[in-house]
Amino acid sequence: METENQTVISKFILLGLSDDADLQPLLIGLFLSMYLVCVTGNLLIILAIISESNLHTPMYFFLSNLSFTDICFTSTIVPKMLVNIQKQNKGITYEGCLTQMYFFMIFAGLDNLLLTVMAYDRFVAICHPLHYTVIMNPHLCGLLLLLSWLICLTYSLLQSLMVLRVSFCKETEIPHFFCELAQILKLACSDTLVNDIVLYFVTGLLGVIPLTGILFSYSRIIFSIMGISSSGGKYKAFSTCGSHLSVVTLFYGAGLGVYLTSGTAHPSRKGSIASVMYTVVTPMLNPFIYSLRNRDMKGALRRLFTRGTYSQ
């Protein structure tokens, strides 16, 4: 096994979603629109939470961080893809590819861990309402956020450093619209056994453990809600976690689609479509899910727009 980086290539080729020249203007318009909606929507969520003192609670603290993460997550991928389509140039430098891969893993991991923390927050709020403010204190919230960042930064740095030891013998084509670790490793001409083991082991841990935590939290939440006698009380309890459950379903559903398609020996366009759901559509829909089903958030956004109108 070679331990030195003997990379002799200067760039990768991102094949993108389609080779049809007639579809390129449509793809630019579609992804530019989705990107602008995603950034604007998540930015409005952050501004609304900051401007409203009654939203300075653990649930909205984590929601604002999720919105920030979604902006960064999408910005890691979409702008480069739009530039490549507009310039009709599918190339990305070796350094640029590794940088994109590094930040993609950070923000994908943060999305995952923040959704887990938010599930725990809903579990405490519904199952232990009298102790909620004591348990979910600012110190614990900050600690959970810091721990999520440290885990993602460490994992991403480890994977990126391990890619540096891999050799690529010629200019290679990635059957995707961004640099994904699993696809990059398939293009190596040196032994990637250690990389593959670390990739699937750590990814499995970061996928299974958070998902198990979410499922456990919601099993206890459902059990507690079933014990509420009034139908109004049950509806109110379900409504507080309905938005989060919708986002979790979208995130893990799309992530499962990406995982199943990336495991094939010859990736197809279906894998790229699943990745679009995972990297663009889900972050774009999150603000709508959290605002349309949340009375406090709708009120905060309404007041934010009102202040903006009067300031002009």
Side-chain angles (χ1 to χ4, degrees):
M1 182 183 299
E2 299 180 39
T3 57
E4 296 182 0
N5 178 27
Q6 298 178 355
T7 303
V8 295
I9 63 168
S10 60
K11 67 177 181 179
F12 290 99
I13 302 297
L14 297 172
L15 296 183
L17 293 171
S18 174
D19 296 324
D20 189 344
D22 295 333
L23 284 179
Q24 303 311 305
L26 177 63
L27 290 176
I28 289 180
L30 178 63
F31 279 91
L32 179 60
S33 300
M34 289 194 295
Y35 178 66
L36 292 177
V37 170
C38 174
V39 172
T40 304
N42 282 290
L43 188 59
L44 287 173
I45 293 289
I46 295 173
L47 292 176
I49 292 173
I50 292 175
S51 62
E52 292 287 324
S53 59
N54 65 309
L55 298 184
H56 294 175
T57 63
M59 182 179 76
Y60 292 107
F61 169 74
F62 292 121
L63 176 57
S64 63
N65 279 277
L66 180 68
S67 293
F68 172 76
T69 301
D70 282 339
I71 292 174
C72 297
F73 186 35
T74 309
S75 298
T76 302
I77 298 168
V78 177
K80 176 59 180 175
M81 181 181 66
L82 292 175
V83 170
N84 282 6
I85 295 176
Q86 196 275 328
K87 292 186 176 181
Q88 297 183 348
N89 177 18
K90 297 183 178 182
I92 183 172
T93 64
Y94 176 77
E95 296 80 7
C97 190
L98 293 188
T99 301
Q100 186 184 65
M101 179 193 72
Y102 173 72
F103 284 107
F104 168 80
M105 289 189 291
I106 288 177
F107 295 117
L110 270 177
D111 253 343
N112 186 23
L113 294 180
L114 284 173
L115 288 174
T116 307
V117 172
M118 293 172 74
Y120 175 70
D121 172 75
R122 291 299 83 206
F123 160 72
V124 176
I126 294 175
C127 299
H128 305 282
L130 298 179
H131 301 94
Y132 178 71
T133 55
V134 176
I135 297 174
M136 298 302 295
N137 58 76
H139 176 73
L140 179 62
C141 293
L143 187 62
L144 289 173
L145 179 62
L146 178 62
L147 184 61
S148 299
W149 271 99
L150 288 177
I151 291 174
C152 294
L153 288 171
T154 302
Y155 166 69
S156 301
L157 182 61
L158 171 65
Q159 293 286 16
S160 299
L161 291 176
M162 291 192 66
V163 170
L164 293 177
R165 63 186 292 280
V166 174
S167 299
F168 300 93
C169 302
K170 58 182 179 179
E171 188 173 285
T172 50
E173 297 181 341
I174 300 176
H176 222 313
F177 59 92
F178 69 96
C179 293
E180 186 184 33
L181 177 60
Q183 302 299 336
I184 293 175
L185 292 179
K186 290 178 181 178
L187 301 176
C189 61
S190 61
D191 190 356
T192 62
L193 177 62
V194 177
N195 298 72
D196 291 332
I197 291 174
V198 173
L199 170 63
Y200 290 106
F201 178 74
V202 180
T203 302
L205 284 179
L206 292 180
V208 172
I209 293 178
L211 181 58
T212 302
I214 292 174
L215 293 176
F216 172 78
S217 296
Y218 274 103
S219 66
R220 297 302 302 269
I221 288 172
I222 293 173
F223 182 78
S224 296
I225 292 176
M226 290 298 102
I228 300 176
S229 57
S230 66
S231 58
K234 289 181 179 180
Y235 175 78
K236 183 178 180 181
F238 268 122
S239 65
T240 60
C241 53
S243 298
H244 177 261
L245 190 58
S246 301
V247 172
V248 168
T249 303
L250 271 174
F251 183 82
Y252 278 99
L256 179 63
V258 172
Y259 177 78
L260 293 177
T261 54
S262 66
T264 59
H266 303 285
S268 64
R269 297 293 184 191
K270 293 182 180 179
S272 297
I273 295 173
S275 294
V276 170
M277 289 292 300
Y278 180 66
T279 59
V280 184
V281 177
T282 300
M284 179 189 70
L285 292 178
N286 285 355
F288 295 100
I289 294 173
Y290 277 106
S291 59
L292 294 177
R293 301 189 62 175
N294 188 306
R295 184 181 303 174
D296 292 334
M297 183 58 66
K298 283 193 289 187
L301 288 170
R302 192 180 302 113
R303 287 186 289 274
L304 181 66
F305 284 122
T306 302
R307 284 195 292 268
T309 303
Y310 284 139
S311 65
Q312 294 177 356

